[in-house]
Each structure stands twice: as structure tokens, then as C-alpha cells.
Amino acid sequence: TMWDAYILRKGAAAWTKLGSAEGKSSDFTITPTTPGDAEQFQVRVQLRKSNADYGQPSDPTFVTVNP
């Protein structure tokens, strides 16, 4: 694993691991909390090296998911 992706939904207290990946890009599927409604949340990435977190997590970025 080269990196882990995390999301923070609106009103949530903690980051949730979305998945892990290798390489420069990956696809993840996110289901909105309320079916049929758009949802905005934050995403960040944590690099990994030798099965351990490496460095600091990236700055969070806002993403919007539309049904």
C-alpha cells in the first residue's frame, strides 16, 4: 500500500478510511448519506512506507458527490 484515502462527512467527529491504493490514482465509490441528495465532504491522503504512515496527511480538499 502506497497511500490511504480518508473522508470527513459533514457533522462527523472523525475521519473515516475510504480505502488504500498503489500508484498515482485510484477509483473509490462513495454513497451519499441521504439517497438522491448531493453531499459535500472533505478528502485527504496519508502516504505509507513499510506498512506505516509516512509524513503528515495531505491538506483536506472538498469534494461533492451528486446522485
Side-chain angles (χ1 to χ4, degrees):
T1 300
M2 291 179 58
W3 51 275
D4 293 331
Y6 293 86
I7 64 170
L8 181 64
R9 294 185 185 265
K10 187 175 183 177
W15 289 87
T16 303
K17 185 174 178 179
L18 183 59
S20 300
E22 296 182 8
K24 293 182 180 182
S25 66
S26 187
D27 294 324
F28 297 101
T29 301
I30 299 169
T31 304
T33 303
T34 304
D37 288 346
E39 182 177 358
Q40 188 178 50
F41 51 89
Q42 295 181 65
V43 177
R44 72 178 182 189
V45 172
Q46 172 66 61
L47 296 177
R48 311 250 320 143
K49 183 177 180 181
S50 301
N51 294 322
D53 290 346
Y54 180 75
Q56 297 296 317
S58 68
D59 291 335
T61 300
F62 281 96
V63 175
T64 302
V65 174
N66 294 302

